[in-house]
Amino acid sequence: MTEHWQARRSGPSPQRPGDRRTPWQRDRARVLHSAAFRRLQSKTQIMNVGENDFYRTRLTHSLEAAQIGTSLINQLHHVGNEDERTLLPDLNLMETLCLAHDIGHPPFGHGGETALNFKMLASGGFEGNGQTFRIVGKLEAYHAEHGMDLTRRALLGLLKYPVLMPELEAPATLDNPGSLAQWRPAKALFACDADLLDWVLEPLNDADRERFQAVEQLDKSPWQRSLHKSFDASLMELADDIAYGVHDLEDAVVTGTLSEAQWHAHLDHVVNTLDDELGSLMGKLGTQLFSKEHSVRKDAIGALVNIFVTAVRVEHVLPAAQEPLIRFNAVLPEAQRFLLDSLKAVIFEHVINQPSIQQLRYRSQTMLLNLFSAFHNEPLRLLPHNTRARWQTAYDSQGQASADRILCDYIAGMTDDYAERMYRNLFVI
């Protein structure tokens, strides 16, 4: 891989005496030992942390995604051609991307993300993947200015949406959001991090960059859909999807949130559209998933993962691009993609969209809205000393929007438990 993709924003730095690690091993270590990664142990994946000691947190989800990511690399080493094998990321780099992909998510999952986006509408918005990019590139404490100071290829691989946030229209007041569903964030990076994005994309020529950053405008402003991602990011996102669609499915089955009858009602018509071999296998696995024998269920979960990992292929998505890292993506064939999307839809319908989960989400969102308002109104009184100093510097040099970004960084970095304790300290008598 060319030297510019191994570069760090801080420039060349001497290795420590005797340190024989590759750049990708150093990237992985920086993620693994970061405070942002440790906080994932107390952040919601789907069901709230503390509700049950079986199901996944953001941390265990990320570990499982990393394992699946390396399995995808191993598979493509066997089925890919020589050019594809040359392009494959190092296993350490693949693990780095999967371990880091969720560290920007705020407390309380996507519900918390929407609440923070509403509060930040007048100051550039909020989105979890944009916050991940900000943490690894600016906030984490490995470097005074450049966060974890990861390699350029690692940063490119973390760009699920390599575009900047569109202009946002804030309502007249940020005190009453109404239904928060209308304030779901655009999938994009923050305008204040444009300098970091420019550095990451510097090796691309003008034509490649224009192709890579193409967006589709959706029906309702300010939503937009970024059309492309790099080869490494496509592998990371596929590993994330498989971990979500299969392992989070196991949580729903074991905790009784998803019944066998609901499974059949939702999946039988999907199975009937598959070819005979895959359809027959899915019929068998559907029965095994609800077996009273734990080992039978675990075998079914492993077999589901195997369906997707062994189907992965490499496709040209930007054939005219000169840079191979954006020319190719890892994809699933149509049948396996439809099946995986159907598993994700089951989880949404029978887990995420259940009133009990939505009631917890509403409660959590209300806590974050109130926390943001309190810190926004009384920053010099309520913020901890180090965050207060950063807030003051930002406010004095760049104004309210920049200061609000510091507030947002602070709240987004909270674990679920910490956010609940802070809320009790400020509001519960």
Side-chain angles (χ1 to χ4, degrees):
M1 182 53 59
T2 49
E3 187 176 333
H4 53 251
W5 290 117
Q6 295 187 28
R8 301 182 191 277
R9 201 175 182 198
S10 63
S13 58
Q15 292 277 81
R16 294 188 177 102
D19 187 353
R20 299 289 181 255
R21 293 176 299 168
T22 66
W24 322 123
Q25 288 172 319
R26 294 174 69 192
D27 280 353
R28 182 181 179 276
R30 291 180 183 195
V31 170
L32 194 60
H33 295 292
S34 67
F37 180 72
R38 289 195 300 277
R39 291 189 186 107
L40 295 177
Q41 67 188 303
S42 188
K43 287 195 177 187
T44 293
Q45 172 63 9
I46 292 180
M47 302 176 186
N48 278 34
V49 172
E51 294 291 317
N52 186 295
D53 62 1
F54 174 82
Y55 53 67
R56 274 81 180 170
T57 64
R58 287 275 174 193
L59 179 66
T60 56
H61 162 75
S62 298
L63 292 169
E64 288 173 334
Q67 183 273 320
I68 292 169
T70 57
S71 295
L72 292 170
I73 300 298
N74 290 332
Q75 178 69 16
L76 288 173
H77 266 298
H78 288 287
V79 302
N81 60 41
E82 185 176 349
D83 289 341
E84 293 166 0
R85 287 195 293 270
T86 300
L87 189 60
L88 287 172
D90 178 271
L91 291 178
N92 288 284
L93 175 56
M94 190 72 254
E95 285 199 2
T96 298
L97 301 181
C98 293
L99 293 174
H101 82 280
D102 266 354
I103 61 174
H105 273 273
F108 312 123
H110 288 291
E113 180 184 45
T114 302
L116 285 183
N117 182 57
F118 172 73
K119 283 296 188 180
M120 288 293 291
L121 286 173
S123 303
F126 178 83
E127 197 274 331
N129 295 283
Q131 190 69 12
T132 293
F133 189 63
R134 183 167 168 79
I135 288 170
V136 297
K138 291 189 174 181
L139 300 182
E140 194 64 45
Y142 282 86
H143 190 278
E145 297 174 358
H146 305 309
M148 294 185 195
D149 197 27
L150 302 182
T151 57
R152 183 183 265 118
R153 181 167 178 175
L155 290 173
L156 180 70
L158 287 170
L159 288 177
K160 289 178 69 172
Y161 317 109
V163 296
L164 295 178
M165 193 74 74
E167 287 291 325
L168 301 175
E169 231 179 274
T173 174
L174 293 177
D175 293 330
N176 181 17
S179 172
L180 276 171
Q182 65 184 309
W183 304 115
R184 285 176 296 177
K187 302 297 186 181
L189 308 176
F190 310 135
C192 59
D193 298 322
D195 58 326
L196 179 58
L197 178 62
D198 287 341
W199 182 82
V200 174
L201 301 184
E202 192 176 285
L204 303 184
N205 63 39
D206 291 344
D208 274 5
R209 178 162 179 172
E210 184 176 355
R211 295 184 189 102
F212 186 55
Q213 293 188 287
V215 297
E216 176 188 11
Q217 296 299 328
L218 303 182
D219 290 341
K220 187 171 180 181
S221 177
W223 299 341
Q224 63 181 21
R225 186 169 71 91
S226 174
L227 296 178
H228 301 295
K229 58 182 66 66
S230 71
F231 179 60
D232 298 347
S234 72
L235 282 161
M236 176 267 286
E237 186 170 51
L238 183 54
D240 182 24
D241 278 355
I242 296 171
Y244 169 54
V246 178
H247 290 302
D248 289 347
L249 173 68
E250 181 182 14
D251 285 357
V253 171
V254 172
T255 58
T257 311
L258 177 68
S259 71
E260 189 168 4
Q262 290 169 328
W263 165 270
H264 285 296
H266 206 107
L267 263 294
D268 282 355
H269 77 281
V270 173
V271 171
N272 290 335
T273 68
L274 305 174
D275 63 59
D276 291 344
E277 183 179 357
L278 183 54
S280 175
L281 175 58
M282 281 303 301
K284 177 183 174 184
L285 296 180
T287 300
Q288 291 179 345
L289 270 176
F290 295 91
S291 170
K292 294 189 183 334
E293 294 291 332
H294 296 324
S295 59
V296 175
R297 185 193 70 243
K298 292 302 293 186
D299 185 60
I301 291 295
L304 280 172
V305 172
N306 186 67
I307 287 172
F308 304 116
V309 168
T310 56
V312 66
R313 296 291 183 269
V314 176
E315 282 188 1
H316 287 80
V317 290
L318 284 174
Q322 292 188 22
E323 172 53 59
L325 282 177
I326 68 168
R327 189 187 310 146
F328 298 99
N329 270 189
V331 299
L332 290 178
E334 185 177 348
Q336 284 81 359
R337 171 46 68 182
F338 177 57
L339 177 57
L340 182 55
D341 288 344
S342 299
L343 295 181
K344 292 165 62 179
V346 170
I347 295 169
F348 179 82
E349 182 60 33
H350 295 290
V351 182
I352 296 173
N353 210 31
Q354 288 303 299
S356 59
I357 297 294
Q358 289 301 315
Q359 288 161 12
L360 286 172
R361 175 174 285 195
Y362 180 83
R363 171 181 176 269
S364 303
Q365 289 174 318
T366 300
M367 284 195 288
L368 288 193
L369 292 172
N370 287 330
L371 282 176
F372 192 100
S373 293
F375 291 128
H376 177 83
N377 293 334
E378 297 276 8
L380 299 180
R381 240 179 112 193
L382 301 178
L383 287 173
H385 290 294
N386 58 340
T387 307
R388 184 191 307 172
R390 292 179 60 226
W391 181 93
Q392 189 71 67
T393 299
Y395 184 82
D396 291 344
S397 61
Q398 296 177 303
Q400 187 64 58
S402 181
D404 282 348
R405 181 61 62 189
I406 302 302
L407 291 185
C408 192
D409 290 339
Y410 174 56
I411 296 174
M414 294 178 178
T415 63
D416 293 16
D417 293 338
Y418 186 89
E420 288 218 30
R421 286 198 304 273
M422 182 63 71
Y423 180 83
R424 286 197 301 270
N425 287 345
L426 292 178
F427 295 102
V428 178
I429 298 176

